[in-house]
Structures are given as structure tokens and as C-alpha cells.
Amino acid sequence: MNLPTSRRTRAGARRAAIVSRLFAPESGAAATRLKWLARAFVDVGYTVRVLTSVPQPGSASPDDPAGVSVSRWPVLRDRNGIVRGYVQYLSFDVPLLLRLLLGPRPDVVVCEPPPTTGLVVRLVCSARRVPYVYYAADVWSDGTASAGAPGVVVRLITLVESWVLRGSRLVLSVSPAVTERLLRLGVEPAKVQLVGNGVDVEVFRPAESARAEVAAAVPGAGRVERPPLDVPYAVYAGTMSEWQGADVFVRAFALARERLPADARLVYLGQGSDRPTVERLASELAPDQVDVLGVVPPVEAASWLRHAVCALVSIVPDQGYDFARPTKVWAASASGTPVVFAGRGVAAQEVADAGLGLAVDHDVAAVGEALVQAFSDQPSTEERRRLVAWTRQHASLATVAASAVGAIRVACDQ
């Protein structure tokens, strides 16, 4: 594809601003995705400024990409340390108005959800006559409705989200299902660019190559060679919220315990609104066999994944998220580890079609059977290598980010 060359290129580097409440070193798909986007901008000659929040306590020390300036602002977080809830969002969005308005004028702004952040970006970009791009990892009005929010709240979020999307120069979509929902919100088809999604394959690597290759790619990563648990275990690595229903694995583990190895364990890494439920069920149903360890750096999560019997991923059906493709699936397969997926929809279909593990209903009995099978039927070295190869071909964030920047340059750099 021939990309347009800006008249500014000869006079000086063009400037991109990335706006998101989450950015590396925080854990999570959005933070990692935007780190790679920033790197891809730098690779084609942009200077990049990121406007984000101060990392969650316990996060790794910032290791910002070369050529990227990161401005971090303190924000309110919920009791789990997450920027979640409209008061928390506003604690980022209100200062953002001045940060974006008074800072150096960029040539393009890329923003992530929530729509309240997009609202601020549209207002400022309109005033400064700067094009902006909306990175649609999901559709917030759908999620608000599925969470049972009052009708007036759903309508308001839908109006704001639609207005923000329609005012953008370009909308980046992570999946065909998200694209379909964007069109329903009134976005012109020509504005939507499907770029897909993925994981950081420099971090999530198989055990056979992790020590040398990850140490070369990520400073200090070589110190995390193997988690301190020398027994067979299944691991859930990521957010535990109401729409994921991660507690199904505790219930299923307890149900199937007599058919699992005597020393089998269940490990949870991460935070979320459902963490208290997971901890309570663990103490009630499987005491001393479930570890809920909280948020860990991505490199440490990768270590847990690559040595696990299987990785656990779930989506509660019919909650408005059946279209989602959780990056937890690819983090596991990039590590050479099969998945047990509980739920229906796009992700379940991909797990089945690509042979990434077992996809079953979000049902305790079905998940229990899948756990028994996963613990008793471990994949061969050849099969693990196939999982890694598939992920690097189909779900690498480096490829996704390069595609996204290419689309942005075509849409905005002329």
C-alpha cells in the first residue's frame, strides 16, 4: 500500500497524541495495545505524546518506548485499584480537557473508550482543528445496556458514543462483530477500518524459548523463569468482572476435584469487581487449592501461563459480550498453552475452529468436564508449537499496530 507523504515530513516529524486512562506498564489489553501503537508511530517517523493516568499501585516501573513521551495524571480508582466507574472516568476526563487543550498541537489524536474520554477529545480537536481517531475495542453502549443500567443512562451513553464516533476521521475496529455494532450507531462504513487485535508475542512466549528470547526483548524479564508452584495448575489471568463470570471455574474445580490430580490447583491473577466472589467461593468450596494472587506484571503473568496445564477464559452468555474476543485466549496460545473457554459467541468459535483448546458452555458441569480433560490430556511439544505459530501469524500486536498506523496515515496524514 502506498502511503501519502506529508508536506511536514521534510520540515520535521509529525506529532501523534494517544489518549487513554490506561497505558503500559499497567496490565490489560488496552495498555499493551496502545504501547505497540505508540511504537508503530515512532517506526514511521512520528513523535508521540501519551496522555494517561498514574499506574495502579503495584505495577511494574514504567519502561516507555523510545521516542514516546508519556504524561501521567493521578486519577481516582475503585476499591480494586481499577479506573472503573463514571466518577473515576471523570477524574481522568476533566483534567484531560486542559491537558489536551494547552499542550503542543498534535497532527492526529488517537483515543480509547470510554465515550466520555471521546467526548473531551472531540470537543478539543474541534476547537484546535485536529483530526482524531477512535480505537473501538468494544461498544460501550452495548455493555451499559447488558449491565442493567437505567434506560436513561443507556440512551445517554448511546448518544454520546454515537456522536463521538461520527465525528472522528477514522474508527479502528478490533473485530467484524464490533464493526457491525459501529455501523448500527451511525458510523459511515468508509470510516471504519478493521485492524483486529492481538497480544505482545515478545512477552507471551513458549517455555522452550522464553528465558533467552524474553530476556532479550524485555529488560529484566529473564529473572522470571518459572512461577513458584511446582504442581499442575490451571490459571485465569486477567480482569474478573460480572460479564466474565470467572467464578464458574472455582465451582467447576470443586465439582470435579475427585477426578483431578490430588495436587491440582487453580490460580487467579488479576483484579475486578468479581474478585471478592471468587475469593469467597474458593474458601468455601476448595480451601487450600485456589490461589487468588492479584495483579502481576505481564512478564510474570506470561511465566504463569507458559507452565500451566491450561488457561481459563470466560464470558457470560447473552450479556452483550458474545461478540468479544478476549486477548486472554491469545496470551495463552502464544505461550503454547491450550485454553478452556466457558461461554458462547465469537471467541468460542475461534477456540474450536483454530484448535486453541476446549470451548464449552458457561456451565459448571461442562467446565468441570473440560478441566478433567485438560488435566489428563496434555498437548505434545509439536501441538504447543502449533499454538505458538498460529498466534504469531494471526494475533500479534506488532502486526495489528502497524496496520492501524498505516490506516491512520491514509485517513489523516494528507
Side-chain angles (χ1 to χ4, degrees):
M1 178 173 63
N2 294 322
L3 300 176
T5 301
S6 169
R7 288 173 294 185
R8 287 197 181 189
T9 303
R10 291 186 293 272
R14 291 182 68 81
R15 295 186 292 269
I18 297 175
V19 175
S20 173
R21 71 195 192 281
L22 300 176
F23 190 76
E26 293 221 49
S27 301
T32 306
R33 178 173 59 244
L34 294 177
K35 180 192 76 173
W36 277 94
L37 184 71
R39 287 176 60 170
F41 268 122
V42 171
D43 287 344
V44 295
Y46 279 68
T47 61
V48 181
R49 182 171 181 242
V50 178
L51 301 176
T52 188
S53 63
V54 173
Q56 179 179 7
S59 298
S61 299
D63 182 23
D64 300 327
V68 178
S69 171
V70 183
S71 171
R72 294 182 167 91
W73 190 269
V75 295
L76 297 175
R77 294 175 179 266
D78 66 15
R79 61 185 178 184
N80 295 308
I82 299 172
V83 188
R84 180 186 178 186
Y86 289 104
V87 172
Q88 288 81 5
Y89 298 151
L90 289 174
S91 74
F92 175 76
D93 295 331
V94 173
L96 174 66
L97 185 65
L98 290 179
R99 296 171 73 195
L100 196 55
L101 189 62
L102 301 179
R105 183 183 183 277
D107 296 293
V108 61
V109 176
V110 180
C111 70
E112 275 254 341
T116 53
T117 300
L119 174 64
V120 171
V121 169
R122 177 166 182 178
L123 291 173
V124 174
C125 286
S126 296
R128 304 190 75 177
R129 298 189 177 185
V130 174
Y132 70 92
V133 174
Y134 195 88
Y135 208 139
D138 51 21
V139 177
W140 277 61
S141 49
D142 285 356
T144 303
S146 67
V152 64
V153 174
V154 174
R155 288 191 293 273
L156 179 60
I157 293 298
T158 301
L159 286 172
V160 171
E161 188 168 38
S162 176
W163 189 71
V164 170
L165 289 165
R166 288 183 287 108
S168 66
R169 182 69 62 86
L170 178 72
V171 181
L172 301 174
S173 169
V174 300
S175 72
V178 169
T179 297
E180 180 183 342
R181 283 157 174 77
L182 294 172
L183 299 181
R184 291 179 185 175
L185 285 169
V187 185
E188 297 174 21
K191 276 189 177 183
V192 181
Q193 178 68 41
L194 176 62
V195 294
N197 207 352
V199 293
D200 189 341
V201 296
E202 288 184 357
V203 173
F204 294 99
R205 288 181 177 268
E208 62 196 49
S209 64
R211 187 175 187 182
E213 295 183 9
V214 176
V218 184
R223 293 194 301 270
V224 184
E225 182 181 356
R226 186 180 179 91
L229 191 61
D230 195 21
V231 295
Y233 64 88
V235 62
Y236 181 100
T239 303
M240 293 168 264
S241 70
E242 64 277 1
W243 65 269
Q244 282 140 342
D247 61 285
V248 71
F249 297 113
V250 179
R251 301 176 192 274
F253 185 89
L255 180 67
R257 183 165 43 189
E258 292 184 0
R259 299 165 60 198
L260 297 172
D263 56 353
R265 297 188 72 86
L266 192 58
V267 177
Y268 283 85
L269 309 174
Q271 294 278 16
S273 57
D274 262 13
R275 177 175 171 174
T277 300
V278 170
E279 291 177 322
R280 176 180 57 80
L281 287 172
S283 64
E284 293 175 358
L285 302 179
D288 302 322
Q289 288 187 281
V290 180
D291 302 287
V292 184
L293 303 181
V295 175
V296 300
V299 169
E300 188 174 339
S303 180
W304 281 101
L305 281 168
R306 71 176 61 99
H307 294 289
V309 167
C310 61
L312 309 174
V313 187
S314 56
I315 296 177
V316 178
D318 304 322
Q319 297 292 308
Y321 285 96
D322 290 344
F323 67 89
R325 302 171 74 196
T327 56
K328 299 182 191 71
V329 172
W330 302 320
S333 59
S335 305
T337 300
V339 170
V340 170
F341 181 87
R344 299 197 297 265
V346 174
Q349 192 65 51
E350 182 174 71
V351 169
D353 290 348
L356 304 183
L358 300 171
V360 299
D361 287 341
H362 194 278
D363 170 82
V364 173
V367 174
E369 291 297 325
L371 288 175
V372 170
Q373 184 174 340
F375 273 90
S376 62
D377 187 18
Q378 281 295 281
S380 64
T381 300
E382 189 66 27
E383 175 61 13
R384 291 183 183 274
R385 289 174 178 167
R386 186 194 66 79
L387 292 174
V388 173
W390 183 94
T391 311
R392 292 183 177 179
Q393 180 181 353
H394 297 282
S396 166
L397 272 181
T399 302
V400 170
S403 175
V405 168
I408 291 168
R409 293 181 68 191
V410 169
C412 304
D413 203 20
Q414 48 188 329

